[in-house]
Amino acid sequence: MNNIIRGTIVVMLGLAASAQAADEKKEFCWYDGTKGVSYSLSRHVSPVVATAMQMWSDDMTDVTGAMPIRKDTRARVRIVQIDTDKEAIKDLKAAGIDVKTLKRQKDAFCIKATSHQLLVAGSDGRGTAYGILELSRLAGVSPWKWWADAQPEKRGRLTLPADFHTCQCPSVEYRGIFINDEDWSLQPWSWRTFSPAKPGLISATTYKQVFKLLMRLRANTIWPAMHESSTPFFLIPGAKEAADSCGIVIGTSHCEPMMRNNAGEWNTKERGAYNYITNKDAVQRYWTERLKDSRQYQNIYTIGMRGIHDGAMEGVGKNLDDQTAALQRVIDDQRLMLRQHVNRRVEQVPQQFVPYKEVLQVMENGLVVPDDVMLTWCDDNYGYLTRLSDSLQQKRTGGAGVYYHLSYWGRPHDYLWLSTTQPGLICNEMREAFDHNARRLWIANVHDLKTAAYDLELFLDMAWDINSVTPSTVFRHQLQWLCREFGQSAGSRLFPVMQEFYRLTAIRKPEFMGWTQVELDKKKYHRG
């Protein structure tokens, strides 16, 4: 070979090697295609962290083909729960993580690449879990992996920019879902799949998968299924323990005070009428039983009272002043019960009051809702918020929340077949809610998780980071979601289809095509 040519090849190879070395300096590799990802973990962690670690281990096995390897020293990924691992704080500070700020925030995490390690630090158990599952997202794992069979692509190498650094914390304190109208899909699917001998049971197995999805979507709250056809949540073996293992806070809907599921738990033959005016002692015993059973868990207690079947409070007639006096009596008594059975400092107990339907008129008639109780506002059942906190209410120490419908069963018309709430509408209404200081609780009403997949993720993305989606970026959010779920090529082709779908369903929902009203025989109540 000619010496000039040989020399030229050597120089070119040298330049290529130098360029490769330069590129490698610009990135941090946390999986190099050989052994599984190595990691270390704080010695003492919350149960939710253990759950997240198992999920992440399964994710990494799917992505790399090898299980992660735990190492006490020289691990490529270091995971720290800072409220239980004081010894690691010095190292985190040295790496440039603002530990002081992180510690002040709930459910927060930071991920930072250093010269030799990828640091994942969570402010608490949930924050650490979200940080762990953020690694799964960075590796291309969809939150819908289990529910939609969205298996991730195999990767021979996992890298991040060498200066990668993200710190995230939630915009809304409590973020989650209300499983409602479940008898149309989720409930029959659940018991037929996991417990065919027990019709109506949404088992702890199903709930665990629901909770794990919420973890992946960085949500932390659920109002469980509550129709008559479903087994009440607190009567399901292992359900509450499953929630605790996933860091999920349990709440209840507007017609289910004091953690009770009236439709499934109040027995009129045994307890008499669900009437606080004529049967006060029986109703109080009923509430007290649940307070004693549930107080060791994380809960949001609904206060106030409505009828069993989502109707007006029984026994008070139509006089607004009488209704106000009766509901005031109920709330005052409930506060005493919470003080006695949950926490003497009742102001520290998370509570909500939902001014839904006729209850809003009662509140406006002079009802005194304690300042530390959050006001949970509702949409009109079709995605348009009808009321938010005024300037005075925005100063309440209890803050405010939103209960928002992505599906609905009731008058004047249901929509349970497809998820047709326009993304732009969700974006606009939830931004408006946030700007009116509704930042304590966001709950989306869904009857089926898969049906509502995109709308639900949009809703929860904004609950996690209110600035993650804006009117000018909502289309981009849709495109990115489609490409993540179906791949770049298919996602790009599906995007105009999704846009046209929402345009058409904005004109008229598919469920509204055949008739205009439903449930005209239900004079007494209708669903929310």
Side-chain angles (χ1 to χ4, degrees):
M1 182 185 296
N2 187 290
N3 288 335
I4 295 176
I5 297 175
R6 184 184 293 112
T8 301
I9 293 174
V10 170
V11 171
M12 291 176 64
L13 289 174
L15 290 173
S18 299
Q20 182 178 352
D23 288 340
E24 289 178 355
K25 288 181 180 180
K26 295 178 182 178
E27 65 182 21
F28 177 88
C29 178
W30 50 293
Y31 171 66
D32 62 5
T34 56
K35 296 180 180 179
V37 179
S38 63
Y39 71 94
S40 65
L41 179 67
S42 295
R43 185 178 304 173
H44 302 290
V45 295
S46 302
V48 65
V49 176
T51 301
M53 285 303 302
Q54 183 58 60
M55 295 165 67
W56 179 68
S57 178
D58 292 342
D59 292 345
M60 292 303 97
T61 302
D62 287 342
V63 170
T64 69
M67 288 184 62
I69 303 166
R70 184 165 185 171
K71 296 174 64 175
D72 294 330
T73 59
R74 302 184 68 180
R76 207 64 176 147
V77 177
R78 184 180 182 183
I79 301 166
V80 177
Q81 182 178 332
I82 63 174
D83 63 338
T84 64
D85 192 347
K86 309 300 183 185
E87 297 177 359
I89 291 178
K90 184 177 179 181
D91 293 341
L92 297 177
K93 289 180 177 179
I97 291 179
D98 186 351
V99 175
K100 186 177 181 180
T101 299
L102 186 60
K103 288 172 67 175
R104 288 200 301 262
Q105 298 166 330
K106 295 180 180 179
D107 296 4
F109 68 86
C110 286
I111 301 177
K112 190 176 193 306
T114 69
S115 59
H116 64 286
Q117 201 167 52
L118 189 63
L119 296 174
V120 181
S123 63
D124 51 26
R126 275 196 294 262
T128 307
Y130 299 150
I132 293 166
L133 294 174
E134 184 70 11
L135 295 181
S136 292
R137 284 177 177 253
L138 293 170
V141 178
S142 165
W144 299 91
K145 172 186 167 183
W146 189 87
W147 283 93
D149 300 317
Q151 289 302 308
E153 293 183 14
K154 294 287 185 181
R155 305 279 291 275
R157 184 177 170 86
L158 293 174
T159 64
L160 290 169
D163 59 351
F164 183 85
H165 187 188
T166 180
C167 286
Q168 301 182 33
C169 63
S171 296
V172 177
E173 182 177 358
Y174 298 109
R175 314 162 301 279
I177 63 172
F178 175 23
I179 298 178
N180 195 17
D181 311 323
E182 70 281 357
D183 29 347
W184 300 109
S185 56
L186 182 66
Q187 180 250 79
W189 170 83
S190 175
W191 66 262
R192 287 170 181 165
T193 303
F194 297 113
S195 47
K198 299 179 180 179
L201 178 66
I202 302 178
S203 65
T205 300
T206 298
Y207 268 116
K208 185 66 175 277
Q209 293 297 341
V210 172
F211 299 150
K212 288 162 76 172
L213 173 65
L214 293 180
M215 287 174 63
R216 290 187 184 276
L217 295 174
R218 296 164 299 206
N220 62 2
T221 306
I222 193 170
W223 296 355
M226 46 71 72
H227 278 204
E228 298 93 327
S229 61
S230 299
T231 304
F233 182 80
F234 278 90
L235 304 185
I236 299 170
K240 198 63 186 72
E241 291 76 12
D244 199 44
S245 73
C246 294
I248 302 298
V249 180
I250 304 299
T252 53
S253 72
H254 51 87
C255 56
E256 302 175 282
M258 309 298 269
M259 302 306 298
R260 276 293 194 176
N261 177 350
N262 299 325
E265 294 185 301
W266 181 268
N267 188 318
T268 303
K269 291 182 179 179
E270 294 178 1
R271 299 181 185 267
Y274 187 64
N275 187 319
Y276 204 75
I277 308 303
T278 63
N279 198 17
K280 175 180 175 180
D281 290 344
V283 174
Q284 285 197 349
R285 283 195 299 271
Y286 169 70
W287 287 340
T288 300
E289 292 167 8
R290 179 52 41 76
L291 293 181
K292 290 180 177 179
D293 290 343
S294 65
R295 59 191 172 189
Q296 70 269 35
Y297 299 109
Q298 299 180 76
N299 303 313
I300 299 173
Y301 295 87
T302 299
I303 65 170
M305 188 177 187
R306 300 187 75 234
I308 291 178
H309 298 289
D310 196 10
M313 184 176 170
E314 297 179 19
V316 294
K318 295 184 179 180
N319 183 289
L320 191 57
D321 289 339
D322 291 345
Q323 293 176 2
T324 305
L327 190 55
Q328 190 68 66
R329 214 159 43 241
V330 168
I331 291 175
D332 293 345
D333 290 346
Q334 287 172 335
R335 295 278 284 184
L336 290 174
M337 296 168 68
L338 288 167
R339 191 185 302 274
Q340 180 180 357
H341 300 293
V342 179
N343 190 338
R344 290 182 181 179
R345 296 181 178 180
V346 69
E347 299 83 5
Q348 297 180 0
V349 178
Q351 299 159 69
Q352 69 165 349
F353 178 77
V354 188
Y356 189 53
K357 299 180 182 177
E358 80 287 340
V359 179
L360 176 59
Q361 292 179 304
V362 174
M363 187 180 79
E364 292 178 329
N365 193 51
L367 184 75
V368 178
V369 181
D371 191 66
D372 58 274
V373 175
M374 101 176 82
L375 299 178
T376 301
W377 302 104
C378 310
D379 67 317
D380 63 352
N381 301 321
Y382 297 92
Y384 294 87
L385 293 170
T386 57
R387 181 71 177 270
L388 289 167
S389 299
D390 60 28
S391 58
L392 190 62
Q393 290 166 336
Q394 289 179 37
K395 298 177 182 178
R396 293 173 57 88
T397 59
V402 172
Y403 165 41
Y404 191 82
H405 287 79
L406 296 178
S407 65
Y408 175 66
W409 176 31
R411 293 195 298 263
H413 211 312
D414 308 332
Y415 56 102
L416 295 171
W417 179 30
L418 299 172
S419 182
T420 51
T421 306
Q422 280 64 47
L425 176 62
I426 297 171
C427 180
N428 182 77
E429 298 299 283
M430 300 319 298
R431 180 77 228 194
E432 190 79 5
F434 187 85
D435 289 344
H436 281 77
N437 210 31
R439 305 179 183 185
R440 188 94 191 275
L441 169 79
W442 284 13
I443 293 290
N445 184 103
V446 291
H447 81 287
D448 188 296
L449 295 166
K450 289 180 71 171
T451 300
Y454 175 71
D455 277 354
L456 177 58
E457 189 163 346
L458 169 62
F459 178 89
L460 291 175
D461 278 354
M462 292 187 69
W464 177 255
D465 178 2
I466 189 62
N467 296 314
S468 63
V469 187
T470 67
S472 62
T473 64
V474 67
F475 281 169
R476 185 195 310 162
H477 186 272
Q478 294 174 40
L479 176 60
Q480 290 173 342
W481 189 88
L482 287 168
C483 290
R484 187 195 67 198
E485 295 303 311
F486 302 106
Q488 194 69 35
S489 176
S492 298
R493 293 165 64 190
L494 286 169
F495 178 51
V497 178
M498 176 183 268
Q499 288 181 296
E500 180 67 1
F501 168 78
Y502 283 122
R503 187 189 73 81
L504 293 172
T505 56
I507 298 171
R508 189 170 179 84
K509 293 181 182 294
E511 294 91 339
F512 297 3
M513 292 297 184
W515 52 91
T516 58
Q517 288 184 297
V518 296
E519 294 195 331
L520 296 180
D521 60 320
K522 303 294 192 298
K523 302 297 183 183
K524 187 176 179 181
Y525 68 94
H526 65 279
R527 302 295 182 192

